[in-house]
Amino acid sequence: MARERTPRDQAGAVTAILATLRKAPGRVRRQSRDLIETAVSQLFDAAVRQALDTGTDGEYRIDDLARLAGTTTRNVRVYRDRGLLHPPLRVGRIAVFNDTHLTRLRLITSMLDRGYTLAHVDEMLSAWEQGKSIGDVLGLETALAGTWAAEKPETMTRAHAEELVGEPAAFDRLVALRLIRLDDETPGTGADSDPKVTVVRPKLLEAFEEIRGYGIGIDKLIDVYEQTLGPVTEISNILVRTGAEHVTERIRPGEGLPADTEIAELITMLVRFRTQAVAQVAATLAASIEASIETLAGQILNDLIDQSADAHQDGS
């Protein structure tokens, strides 16, 4: 099978792109819009490949596939037999899986870990493959999960939560922001003697933890959360007002309630409105963030070309 990729291999693609830019002649400078856009695209492609890199060149035997997806070979066979996982390629008598199988298997495993049944997973994957929009798939997930909240709070010992946050001052800030709730400050006895806390937004803390791996301090991340909370709340209020205005047009104070079927229709509309609003905001925010990042990356590459051109002129 394929050889292992090292971190040096993974960084090589980005290094090669930057090396090409450094060799660009001085005449391209800031007039080279096409060159910059191409380089930005290549850099992001390389970064995505690195982020999704699994340690091989995309060909796996069943035991390697199961290990990389965090499951068992028995489960892989079950998912394959149920039609959740596409058949592997055959090289002689050996079954060979690829990155598409790995991505799909990780998705299946993640959904099962979240409490879905195989039937639920099959239904959502089928909806996805039939070209349903992300809003449709999210709406189906909401119906299957039977839950309203996007994430569930997690209870843990205070010691564990403080360890996750890493800094006492940052922990206090998260408590003040009600992202962590102190449930029980009175130690008991035995195995449950540690005070308990509830992490209200565990996914947010997971995101903090991942980004901190790049050297950004948690205080900075909390600052960003505080700065974006107001605008996000305002966006939520705008969206909710839209749904509320529609409801108040149908149900007026002081007047008789409409028929049960109409009330049921309004409630269904509000649930679907929430799903579609989340999908709309997520798509718009993603597009805006991508554009901002590409602009920043373009500026960095422009500066890189300028510096290389200046160095070339100085040396000539």
Side-chain angles (χ1 to χ4, degrees):
M1 301 308 314
R3 71 175 180 84
E4 288 278 325
R5 281 186 189 173
T6 66
R8 181 176 298 178
D9 295 327
Q10 297 170 359
V14 173
T15 302
I17 295 169
L18 295 178
T20 300
L21 284 175
R22 290 190 178 94
K23 294 177 182 177
R27 60 183 173 81
V28 300
R29 287 204 168 230
R30 295 189 180 278
Q31 290 76 27
S32 57
R33 181 180 180 86
D34 291 341
L35 177 64
I36 293 297
E37 290 182 350
T38 299
V40 169
S41 177
Q42 291 174 342
L43 282 172
F44 281 116
D45 286 344
V48 169
R49 285 196 299 271
Q50 178 177 340
L52 296 177
D53 191 7
T54 59
T56 68
D57 66 3
E59 294 182 351
Y60 319 100
R61 296 193 182 190
I62 189 171
D63 53 343
D64 292 325
L65 182 76
R67 175 178 54 81
L68 291 168
T71 187
T72 65
T73 56
R74 179 181 179 278
N75 285 339
V76 173
R77 293 189 178 95
V78 170
Y79 305 154
R80 191 179 62 192
D81 292 342
R82 291 286 298 266
L84 300 177
L85 202 61
H86 299 313
L89 303 174
R90 290 286 175 179
V91 181
R93 301 173 66 179
I94 300 175
V96 178
F97 298 83
N98 57 29
D99 285 331
T100 300
H101 291 101
L102 178 59
T103 299
R104 191 180 180 91
L105 181 57
R106 283 175 168 167
L107 178 60
I108 293 169
T109 302
S110 173
M111 292 170 70
L112 292 174
D113 287 342
R114 292 164 59 193
Y116 296 107
T117 66
L118 287 176
H120 290 161
V121 174
D122 187 24
E123 191 173 359
M124 275 192 279
L125 290 177
S126 296
W128 188 10
E129 290 176 335
Q130 290 168 12
K132 300 289 187 180
S133 70
I134 185 63
D136 291 329
V137 176
L138 287 173
L140 179 58
E141 179 178 2
T142 299
L144 292 175
T147 182
W148 179 261
E151 58 181 314
K152 295 181 179 180
E154 292 183 7
T155 300
M156 62 184 69
T157 65
R158 175 165 181 158
H160 185 200
E162 289 176 340
E163 182 180 355
L164 288 176
V165 175
E167 298 177 14
F171 181 88
D172 291 339
R173 290 185 67 187
L174 293 174
V175 171
L177 289 168
R178 300 183 180 180
L179 295 175
I180 294 179
R181 185 174 65 240
L182 305 180
D183 295 335
D184 184 5
E185 288 291 349
T186 305
T189 58
D192 297 328
S193 59
D194 292 334
K196 298 293 190 298
V197 302
T198 296
V199 178
V200 179
R201 296 283 309 280
K203 290 183 180 179
L204 183 64
L205 250 61
E206 289 176 8
F208 284 177
E209 181 65 22
E210 180 177 348
I211 298 175
R212 286 171 65 192
Y214 293 95
I216 300 178
I218 191 168
D219 275 330
K220 180 65 175 178
L221 297 175
I222 298 175
D223 288 343
V224 171
Y225 171 80
E226 289 183 305
Q227 292 165 12
T228 57
L229 183 59
V232 169
T233 300
E234 181 56 29
I235 291 172
S236 300
N237 290 337
I238 292 172
L239 293 170
V240 171
R241 280 199 300 269
T242 302
E245 288 169 0
H246 178 71
V247 171
T248 55
E249 288 175 1
R250 305 274 291 274
I251 302 178
R252 298 180 181 278
E255 298 183 5
L257 290 175
D260 289 351
T261 53
E262 187 172 352
I263 294 177
E265 178 184 338
L266 287 173
I267 293 174
T268 301
M269 181 275 296
L270 288 174
V271 173
R272 293 292 297 154
F273 183 83
R274 178 260 192 186
T275 298
Q276 295 297 336
V278 169
Q280 172 194 333
V281 172
T284 303
L285 183 60
S288 178
I289 290 175
E290 287 172 4
S292 298
I293 291 176
E294 289 174 0
T295 298
L296 175 60
Q299 292 172 349
I300 293 172
L301 295 182
N302 268 321
D303 292 341
L304 177 65
I305 289 178
D306 284 347
Q307 292 172 7
S308 298
D310 292 340
H312 177 75
Q313 291 177 354
D314 293 341
S316 59

